[in-house]
Amino acid sequence: MSAVAGQPAATTTVSQAVAEVLAGLLGTVSGERMAATVATLASGPFTGRRVGSAGGAAGRAWLAQHLADLGATVTLEPFQVRFVPEVYTVPTVLWHDGSTTRRLAFGRDVAVHLASADQPLVQRGDLAVAGAGDPAGRWLLVPAGMTLFDAYGHAHGALGLLFGRGVDADGWHYTMLAGPNPGPLPILTLDTATHTTLLAAAQTGGWLAGNTPIRRLDVPATNLHGTWPTTTPTDSPTDSSAVADGDVGTDAGTEVLLTAHYDGVGDHPGLRQPAAADNGSGVAVVLEAARVLAGHLPGGTRLSIALLDAEEAGALGSAHHAAQLRATGATPLVINVDGAGNLHQAAAVEAGGPAHALLAALDQAGRHTGLPLVAGPVASDNRRYAAAGLAAVGIGAGMAGYHSPADTADRVETATLTAVAKLVVATSWLASTDPATLQSLIGDKR
């Protein structure tokens, strides 16, 4: 990867002709346009864009029109997702320490565990510690280090379980949609300070009253695809001089596939969860890169986009799409962006599949645009494409307020959007050239 801050960077090896082409393309990248896209996707009408929700459908419709306005042929690919968890009303959780009754704030002090059974009724019982004493009719505080499996073994007849869980820097519990199946008991998670306080209250006759209104839904999901015609040398004035000079060769039949998931974890009752950085920012980058690249890739290259649903439910949209590509024998070069909100020292890159040449292009693009890259986990849709045997890279550049109400549009940095979009544009263009013309310290370009 290109050098991290404080380390020397190798010189880019792109030719002067290629550098001139890239300069023209990169100069048209607009951070302000991407910031406006993020703000729209994070707005109230889209309600956090959870898979199967009205807000998700509204976001998809807006994106489909956006792609059409960019000149893409737009298609929708529906599929089904099972058992998506939904907290359907604000849980009521009160506790008493022997003298005072307090209400716990949903999202701050308390959240509903993914493994919780659905219990809409508020149930009151004494506080006790799992593994100590009779659990019947009590809410059991699970000690740190005790697993869910072991807690069940101590919970015969209990009203429910109370786990301690850390909150983020903004004081929010983060929301997840993919996780364990529901078990036999109501389960709440408490921030660690509240959990410690209730452990003490369990020794002095404290009680808790609470419910766990969580259900699982089978919902429709839809991937959104945009494609542009395959370019020829005469389609793009940027190709002709470089090809004539022998500086850029083309690999006929190359397809560059830009991907990002548009779904979020969705709003909770009474809590807006805008999903701005995760992954409105990635969608904004992919759309801007497509706007810049459409009609301007080296001849013989096809550009396509997949805006994916149900990533938050287990990367199911990319699993669905990757299976389709494998069945048809398509072999696009996949560039996935998940989180382009808060670049610190470097962007993280994860590669999978036969990605040698794609990594070489990415390496050179990082050096050319000045964006440092480091190998790091990008646990997103890129892994599904790689598992299907496709050359795939995932790019992540940070996000604030992960899966919480703090993931707002104002915390997505325009400079980060711009840097990542330029990286994607340069990588896409370089990956469309003859790999033999690229020199890189990465891979063997097979």
Side-chain angles (χ1 to χ4, degrees):
M1 293 293 97
S2 51
V4 182
Q7 297 178 342
T11 304
T12 181
T13 61
V14 299
S15 68
Q16 181 62 34
V18 170
E20 290 175 0
V21 171
L22 288 178
L25 294 175
L26 298 178
T28 66
V29 171
S30 170
E32 290 72 23
R33 184 182 291 108
M34 287 183 282
T37 297
V38 172
T40 298
L41 291 173
S43 63
F46 296 157
T47 65
R49 308 188 307 278
R50 186 176 63 243
V51 59
S53 69
R60 181 169 59 250
W62 185 85
L63 289 167
Q65 184 59 57
H66 194 108
L67 282 173
D69 291 343
L70 293 177
T73 299
V74 180
T75 57
L76 303 177
E77 182 63 35
F79 58 100
Q80 290 294 120
V81 178
R82 302 191 66 195
F83 304 127
V84 177
E86 178 189 63
V87 177
Y88 54 86
T89 191
V90 178
T92 299
V93 184
L94 307 170
W95 72 279
H96 186 80
D97 63 1
S99 59
T100 305
T101 301
R102 300 180 178 89
R103 179 183 292 269
L104 298 183
F106 176 48
R108 293 284 195 185
D109 307 317
V110 65
V112 182
H113 195 289
L114 275 183
S116 179
D118 181 18
Q119 175 51 264
L121 301 178
V122 175
Q123 299 187 102
R124 173 176 161 172
D126 289 342
L127 291 169
V129 179
D134 182 6
R138 298 181 176 184
W139 283 95
L140 302 183
L141 289 142
V142 179
M146 181 180 287
T147 67
L148 177 60
F149 178 82
D150 288 338
Y152 282 144
H154 296 293
H156 182 69
L159 292 182
L161 301 175
L162 303 170
F163 277 87
R165 183 187 187 191
V167 294
D168 67 16
D170 299 294
W172 293 104
H173 285 264
Y174 58 88
T175 299
M176 301 296 290
L177 298 185
N181 292 324
L185 288 173
I187 307 175
L188 295 168
T189 60
L190 311 173
D191 73 274
T192 52
T194 299
H195 187 263
T196 299
T197 300
L198 266 65
L199 277 170
Q203 312 300 321
T204 59
W207 55 259
L208 183 136
N211 63 344
T212 54
I214 185 171
R215 59 192 171 197
R216 277 78 182 172
L217 305 174
D218 295 345
V219 300
T222 306
N223 288 338
L224 182 60
H225 299 280
T227 59
W228 288 262
T230 301
T231 57
T232 65
T234 56
D235 285 334
S236 172
T238 60
D239 289 339
S240 55
S241 62
V243 172
D245 291 339
D247 291 319
V248 177
T250 60
D251 183 10
T254 297
E255 179 181 358
V256 174
L257 171 62
L258 307 180
T259 66
H261 74 90
Y262 69 88
D263 66 307
V265 294
D267 289 353
H268 279 317
L271 290 179
R272 283 279 297 119
Q273 301 199 115
D278 188 17
N279 188 34
S281 65
V283 171
V285 164
V286 163
L287 290 174
E288 181 67 3
R291 184 191 68 80
V292 171
L293 290 166
H296 295 285
L297 284 169
T301 303
R302 182 185 182 211
L303 174 66
S304 62
I305 273 184
L307 300 179
L308 302 163
D309 207 353
E311 192 270 351
E312 301 295 3
L316 300 181
S318 51
H320 180 79
H321 187 214
Q324 290 179 313
L325 294 172
R326 185 170 183 174
T328 61
T331 57
L333 304 175
V334 183
I335 302 172
N336 181 70
V337 183
D338 194 351
N342 302 97
L343 183 67
H344 297 294
Q345 286 190 325
V349 172
E350 177 178 313
H356 307 290
L358 183 55
L359 266 178
L362 181 65
D363 174 51
Q364 281 301 308
R367 299 181 193 280
H368 185 78
T369 63
L371 177 58
L373 308 176
V374 293
V378 183
S380 185
D381 292 302
N382 45 286
R383 293 183 176 180
R384 293 290 197 175
Y385 291 108
L390 300 175
V393 294
I395 301 170
M399 56 186 76
Y402 175 73
H403 287 195
S404 84
D407 186 5
T408 54
D410 61 294
R411 302 183 74 179
V412 175
E413 300 168 348
T414 301
T416 297
L417 293 169
T418 301
V420 177
K422 287 183 176 182
L423 177 72
V424 172
V425 168
T427 302
S428 300
W429 206 91
L430 292 170
S432 304
T433 67
D434 181 354
T437 68
L438 282 180
Q439 297 178 21
S440 174
L441 300 176
I442 293 191
D444 57 11
K445 307 180 191 66
R446 288 178 295 177

